[in-house]
Amino acid sequence: MFRTALRTVLAHKGRLLMTTLAVMLGTAFVAGTLVFTDTLGSALRTQSAKSYADIAVTVSDRQAVARGYDHRGGAATGPTLTEETRRKVAALPGAAEARGVVSGFAGIADRKGALIGDGFSTTGTNYVPGADGTDPRYPLVEGRGPKNAGEVALDAKTAGKGGFKVGDTVRVAVNGPVMELKLTGVLHTNDPRVTAGGSLAAFDTATAQRLYLGPGRFAELDVKASPGADDSALLAAVEQALPQGDSIEARTGRELADEQDRMIAEGTKFLSTFLMGFAGIALFVGVFIIANTFTMLVAQRTRELALLRAVGATRRQVSRSVRAEALLVGLAASVTGLLAGIGIAAGLRALLNGPMDANLPDGPLIVSPTTVIAAVAVGVLVTVLAAWLPARRASRIAPVAAMSSADQPATHRSLVVRNSLGLLFGLAGATALAAGVTAKEIKLVGLGAGALMIGVFVLTPLLSRPLIALIAPLLRALYGTPGKLAQQNAVRNPRRTAATASALTIGVTLITALTVLGASVNKAVDAATASDLRADYTVAMQNGSMLAPDVATQIAKAPGVTALSAVRGVSVQTAHNGGEDEYLTAVDAATIDQVANVQVREGSADALKQGKLLVSSGRAEQQGYRVGDTLAVTYPDGSRGSLVIGGVMEANTALAGVLAPESVVGPHAAEGDGPTRVLVKGAHGATDELRQALRDATGGNPLIAVKGEKDIKAENRKMVTGILNMMYGLLGMSVVIAVLGVVNTMAMSVFERRREIGMLRAIGLDRRGIRRTVRLESLLIALFGGLVGVGLGIVVAWAGVRTLAEDLKDITTVVPPLQIAAYLLVAALVGLLAALWPAHRAARMEILGAIRSE
C-alpha cells in the first residue's frame, strides 16, 4: 500500500502542487521565525558578553541611575558612590582598575534643530581615558575624547546622520537649554540603546556628573580584576569597602552577563511566540486546502479505490494509503519550507539592517536541530491530520457502489451531525463573547471569538446556499447562462465550497477585526484629545522623562502665554486599601480648568482650590473612594499628612486618576523632581508664533517637544497605524495561502467536470462562456468567504471594543465603510485572478476527448 501511495503521489503531483505550496509556506514561516529569533538571540548574547568581558565586579547605585535618567540632578540623599569610594575599591587586592560611570539621556540636534535618533535611546555618558588617553569602552574612530565642559564626542552613526566632523560645533541638551559644544572625537559603540536607533554623547566625567548626578557622584563602578584574581573573592572585598545602603548593590560581571542572557532569552521567546501565532494562522488556513485537496482526490479516484477494495484491500489499508500520500506530501513540502525559512530569516535580517536601518548585531545564521525537527514535524503533522477525514471517507467506499458512481454524496446523518456541532460551537462562542463583554474580560472574549469562528466554519456549508443566492441574481442578469451555471456549480458541493471559502474567511475576519478596532480606537483617542484638553500646546520630553524644575517658570514668561499648568507626578504611601501606593497628579489649582476639561460629577467643583483631591470616577470605583474620605499619606520626602477627597470627576485621558493641588503636594515631592509636562493656553490659540515662543523658552532643546492637538492626534494615529500595518503584513501569508486554495479548488474542479464541460461545448457554449462560467464560480466562492469574514470580523471587533470601554472614554464601534468595501473588492479580485489558469484550461479542452473522459 505504501508503494501504491507513492505511485499515486507521483501520478497526481500536478494536482497536489498547491497543497505542497500551502504546507511549504506555513512551514517556511515557522522555520524562518525560529532561525531568525535564534540568530538574533545568539548575536545579542555575543554582544552582551563583549560588554562584560573585562568586568569582574559592577557596583550600581540604583537611586543614582534613576536620577540620571530622570534628569533630577541636585544633591544626593543617603549613601552614594563617590570618587573616594572609587579609589578605595581600586586599591583593593585583586582589583586592577575601578572605572566610575555616569549616564543619562542626552539629545543631539541636527543642523535644523531636530532631534537625531529615537528620543528614548538618546544616551549621555562620561568618557574615562586610561593611561593612553583613550576609553576602552568606546574605541575612537577619529579625534580624541572630551577633556572639559565645552567638548563632546559622538558615536559614528550619530555624527554621520548630523553631518558632523571633528572640530564642528554640536548642539547638545539634557533637560535644559541647548549647550553648544566642540566635537573632539567620533566613537564606536555596541551599546544596544544606540544600535537600536539612539545616539551617544560622551562628556568628560566632571561635566557628566554635573549634568546628571551632582559633583563627585557615580552611578556605577566597573571593577577590572588583576590577572589570576578570583571574582567571588573580589566581590566580597568590594562589598566590605562600599557604603551601606539599600540602593547600592555589587555583583560579578558573570552574574550580570547571565542576567542579560536571561533577559535576551525572554525577549526572543516573546518575539518567537508572537510570530508563531501568525505562523499558526497560516498553517490553519493550509488545513482547509489540504483537506479539500484530498477530499477531491478521493472523490475523483472512487473507481480506483473500489478496485483496491475489490481485490482484497481492507478499509484500514485504504485509509493508510491516503494518509501515506499525505505523509509524503507533507515531508516534501516541509523540507522545502525549512530551506525557504532559512532564506527568509537571512533576508529579514538583511532587510532590517539595510533599508530599515535596525542595526541588528552581526552573527552567523543559527539553524539548530530543534528548528529542523520542529519545522519538519509541524508540516508533516498538519498535513497528515488534515488528510485524516478524507482518508476515513476513502475507507468507507463500498466496492460495488463505488464502481457505479464517481462521487459519493454526503449522507443526511453526516450533515445533521456537522450542523449540530456547528450550532453548539456557535452558541457557546456567542455566550462566552457576551459574558466577556459584560465582565470586560479580554481572555473570555478571545475564547468566545475563537469558538464562534469555529462554529461558523463548521456551519459554512449550510450558509453557502442562502448567501450565494443573494449574489447570484446579479450575475445571472449580467451574464445569463454562464452566471446561472456558476451559481449551480458553487452550491453543487457545499462542503467543498465551504472549505475553499473558509481559508479566505480567516484572513478577512482577522483583517476586518483589526481595521474596525483600529478605527474605533483612533476615533476615541481623537475625541478624548479634543474634549479633555483645552490647552493649545503640551510641552514634554520626547523620552517621557521629567522636565527641568524651572521649565514652567520659563514658559510663563514666553510672549502670548495666558495660562499654564505644570503637571507633576507624586507617588505617596497611604493606609487606604491595605497600604497601597497612590499616584497623585499635581496641577495648578488656579489654572487647570483653563487648560484641561475637568468635569466634576460629585462634590465641589472648587475642590482643588480648597486644597482637596479630585478623583476620577474609574479610580473611585476601583479603590472605593468617596467624597469626604480622608487619606493619611506619607510623602516622598518622608513627611506625613492627610488629604481629603473633595470630589469625583469624569475620566480625563490627559490627567491621571487622582488630581492634587501643586501648592499642597509639590513641596513634599522628591528633590529635583520636575513636571512631566506643561499644558499651555495662548492668547490667540495654537499659532506658529506661540509654538516658536515655547521652543525658545525651553532653550531650543531637541529633546523637548511642543505638541498641539493635531500633533497629538497624528502621533496616536501613527502608533496605531504602525501596529496595524505590521499585523496586516504578518497576516499576508495566510491570505496568499488562501489564494492558493482557491486556485487549487478551481483547477481540480475543472478536471473533475471534464465530461460536463465537453457536453456544454457540444450543445453550443463557446470557449468564452466556459471561461466566464469558471471565473464567476470562483468569484462567488471568494465573495462568499469575504462576506462571512467581514461579518465575523465586525462581531469580534465589537466585542473587543466593549472590553476597552473602561480604558477609553466613550469608545464606540466604528466600521469604516470604504475599507470594508475595499476588502470585499479584494476578495472578488482574488476569486477572479485565482480562476485565470483553471478557466484557461477549461476553455482549451477538446470537446470529444472531454466527453469520453472518465
Side-chain angles (χ1 to χ4, degrees):
M1 295 305 294
F2 182 79
R3 287 196 299 271
T4 301
L6 179 59
R7 289 170 181 167
T8 302
V9 169
L10 295 175
H12 298 95
K13 53 183 178 293
R15 296 185 225 175
L16 289 167
L17 176 62
M18 296 301 172
T19 297
T20 304
L21 285 174
V23 178
M24 186 201 74
L25 289 174
T27 306
F29 206 148
V30 172
T33 295
L34 293 174
V35 172
F36 177 72
T37 52
D38 286 349
T39 299
L40 178 62
S42 174
L44 289 173
R45 285 191 294 272
T46 301
Q47 185 183 70
S48 174
K50 291 179 181 178
S51 300
Y52 294 104
D54 64 339
I55 298 176
V57 176
T58 290
V59 183
S60 299
D61 183 347
R62 291 190 296 271
Q63 183 188 54
V65 171
R67 292 175 71 86
Y69 281 95
D70 283 342
H71 299 308
R72 298 178 187 178
T77 58
T80 61
L81 299 177
T82 62
E83 175 62 22
E84 181 182 354
T85 306
R86 188 196 68 78
R87 291 175 180 172
K88 187 176 179 181
V89 169
L92 291 172
E97 177 187 353
R99 184 170 54 216
V101 178
V102 184
S103 59
F105 286 116
I108 315 298
D110 62 17
R111 298 189 184 278
K112 295 181 179 180
L115 179 69
I116 298 177
D118 174 25
F120 288 92
S121 302
T122 52
T123 307
T125 189
N126 61 322
Y127 189 83
V128 186
D132 61 353
T134 64
D135 188 334
R137 295 178 303 168
Y138 306 114
L140 285 166
V141 176
E142 60 177 315
R144 62 171 176 81
K147 295 181 178 179
N148 56 57
E151 297 179 344
V152 70
L154 300 179
D155 68 281
K157 183 179 176 182
T158 301
K161 286 182 177 180
F164 298 126
K165 297 180 180 179
V166 173
D168 287 352
T169 297
V170 180
R171 302 176 73 242
V172 185
V174 180
N175 68 338
V178 171
M179 302 174 289
E180 295 192 349
L181 307 177
K182 180 181 178 181
L183 181 63
T184 62
V186 177
L187 314 169
H188 172 74
T189 179
N190 58 6
D191 188 325
R193 291 170 298 185
V194 180
T195 57
S199 62
L200 176 70
F203 309 97
D204 69 285
T205 297
T207 300
Q209 290 173 329
R210 175 176 57 81
L211 291 173
Y212 298 120
L213 300 176
R217 289 194 63 192
F218 295 107
E220 294 181 3
L221 297 178
D222 291 338
V223 185
K224 185 177 180 180
S226 301
D230 180 71
D231 290 357
S232 299
L234 181 58
L235 173 64
V238 168
E239 289 176 334
Q240 293 296 320
L242 295 175
Q244 298 302 306
D246 292 338
S247 69
I248 296 179
E249 179 184 36
R251 303 172 70 182
T252 65
R254 181 67 266 165
E255 289 176 331
L256 291 173
D258 290 343
E259 180 180 327
Q260 193 72 15
D261 286 350
R262 286 193 295 272
M263 293 173 62
I264 291 170
E266 290 175 3
T268 53
K269 182 180 179 181
F270 172 80
L271 176 62
S272 178
T273 303
F274 177 75
L275 293 176
M276 279 297 183
F278 291 92
I281 293 171
L283 286 169
F284 185 59
V285 172
V287 165
F288 290 92
I289 299 174
I290 299 164
N292 216 15
T293 300
F294 278 94
T295 297
M296 295 174 74
L297 283 175
V298 167
Q300 292 171 10
R301 290 163 47 207
T302 50
R303 288 181 180 272
E304 174 189 331
L305 295 171
L307 282 171
L308 288 174
R309 292 293 312 282
V311 297
T314 65
R315 287 187 173 185
R316 180 176 294 182
Q317 286 177 317
V318 171
S319 178
R320 284 179 178 174
S321 174
V322 176
R323 289 199 295 268
E325 293 173 34
L327 175 65
L328 292 171
V329 171
L331 186 61
S334 298
V335 172
T336 309
L338 172 64
L339 298 175
I342 296 171
I344 288 173
L348 180 59
R349 186 172 66 170
L351 176 67
L352 291 173
N353 277 336
M356 299 185 69
D357 199 23
N359 291 297
L360 299 180
D362 293 328
L365 279 177
I366 305 299
V367 185
S368 68
T370 303
T371 297
V372 174
I373 294 170
V376 174
V378 166
V380 170
L381 187 63
V382 165
T383 309
V384 172
L385 287 177
W388 181 78
L389 275 178
R392 189 164 174 264
R393 292 193 190 111
S395 69
R396 291 183 174 183
I397 295 176
V400 175
M403 292 291 185
S404 61
S405 176
D407 199 355
Q408 294 289 310
T411 64
H412 177 72
R413 180 176 176 273
S414 68
L415 291 176
V416 169
V417 171
R418 176 173 183 143
N419 293 337
S420 298
L421 285 173
L423 284 173
L424 285 175
F425 269 104
L427 289 173
T431 302
L433 208 63
V437 168
T438 303
K440 302 294 188 291
E441 180 57 54
I442 190 66
K443 291 183 180 179
L444 191 56
V445 168
L447 185 65
L452 180 62
M453 288 176 68
I454 292 173
V456 171
F457 291 152
V458 175
L459 288 172
T460 307
L462 186 65
L463 299 173
S464 61
R465 288 183 180 274
L467 286 178
I468 289 177
L470 290 175
I471 310 169
L474 177 62
L475 297 184
R476 289 202 303 270
L478 292 174
Y479 301 108
T481 299
K484 184 177 181 179
L485 290 171
Q487 178 194 2
Q488 292 173 347
N489 290 336
V491 298
R492 177 185 300 179
N493 192 328
R495 283 186 170 182
R496 181 187 303 169
T497 297
T500 307
S502 293
L504 188 60
T505 296
I506 295 170
V508 175
T509 297
L510 295 174
I511 289 173
T512 299
L514 288 173
T515 300
V516 174
L517 273 172
S520 303
V521 169
N522 276 333
K523 183 179 179 181
V525 172
D526 283 354
T529 302
S531 64
D532 292 346
L533 271 180
R534 292 177 177 170
D536 295 313
Y537 288 106
T538 298
V539 181
M541 298 288 287
Q542 292 197 51
N543 51 34
S545 61
M546 298 178 187
L547 292 161
D550 60 347
V551 163
T553 303
Q554 296 168 356
I555 291 174
K557 299 176 182 177
V561 174
T562 58
L564 63 84
S565 175
V567 179
R568 184 212 304 253
V570 180
S571 183
V572 299
Q573 293 180 346
T574 173
H576 189 81
N577 286 348
E580 289 186 7
D581 287 353
E582 185 61 85
Y583 185 84
L584 307 179
T585 301
V587 297
D588 189 331
T591 60
I592 188 61
D593 58 344
Q594 298 180 52
V595 293
N597 186 16
V598 181
Q599 296 183 342
V600 178
R601 179 188 294 183
E602 299 177 40
S604 173
D606 294 326
L608 292 174
K609 295 177 181 178
Q610 296 167 2
K612 300 178 181 180
L613 303 179
L614 277 180
V615 183
S616 70
S617 55
R619 189 65 177 164
E621 181 179 350
Q622 182 184 15
Q623 294 294 330
Y625 291 144
R626 295 182 179 180
V627 175
D629 285 354
T630 299
L631 304 182
V633 300
T634 301
Y635 292 106
D637 64 356
S639 62
R640 298 177 182 271
S642 60
L643 296 170
V644 177
I645 296 177
V648 176
M649 65 178 186
E650 298 285 353
N652 187 302
T653 56
L655 303 168
V658 182
L659 293 188
E662 168 70 22
S663 59
V664 174
V665 302
H668 304 292
E671 184 178 358
D673 278 6
T676 54
R677 60 192 184 282
V678 179
L679 307 179
V680 183
K681 190 74 174 176
H684 305 290
T687 63
D688 291 339
E689 291 76 13
L690 177 60
R691 186 194 292 267
Q692 188 58 50
L694 296 177
R695 286 174 175 166
D696 293 341
T698 54
N701 189 330
L703 268 176
I704 297 178
V706 180
K707 299 177 183 177
E709 180 182 316
K710 291 182 179 179
D711 301 317
I712 296 173
K713 288 181 178 179
E715 190 175 75
N716 292 332
R717 283 183 171 273
K718 182 179 179 181
M719 180 175 64
V720 174
T721 302
I723 295 173
L724 290 179
N725 287 340
M726 179 182 65
M727 305 285 268
Y728 291 153
L730 292 171
L731 286 172
M733 185 69 76
S734 64
V735 176
V736 170
I737 294 175
V739 173
L740 293 178
V742 179
V743 175
N744 196 35
T745 299
M746 296 310 302
M748 296 186 72
S749 179
V750 165
F751 180 85
E752 189 178 78
R753 301 202 301 262
R754 285 178 299 169
R755 177 177 291 180
E756 176 187 321
I757 292 170
M759 292 297 295
L760 289 171
R761 289 291 314 282
I763 62 175
L765 190 63
D766 59 12
R767 293 179 186 272
R768 183 179 181 186
I770 293 294
R771 284 196 297 268
R772 182 169 289 172
T773 299
V774 175
R775 287 199 297 264
L776 291 178
E777 179 186 352
S778 180
L779 172 65
L780 281 171
I781 294 173
L783 277 177
F784 167 57
L787 285 170
V788 175
V790 165
L792 264 177
I794 291 173
V795 171
V796 171
W798 168 83
V801 166
R802 297 317 307 153
T803 61
L804 297 174
E806 290 186 353
D807 300 315
L808 285 174
K809 185 175 67 173
D810 299 329
I811 187 171
T812 57
T813 304
V814 177
V815 181
L818 292 179
Q819 286 180 270
I820 298 302
Y823 296 153
L824 291 175
L825 178 60
V826 169
L829 290 174
V830 163
L832 290 174
L833 293 174
L836 289 178
W837 177 58
H840 178 72
R841 283 191 63 192
R844 289 179 62 86
M845 283 186 184
E846 195 271 324
I847 297 176
L848 294 179
I851 293 174
R852 288 197 306 267
S853 66
E854 293 292 334

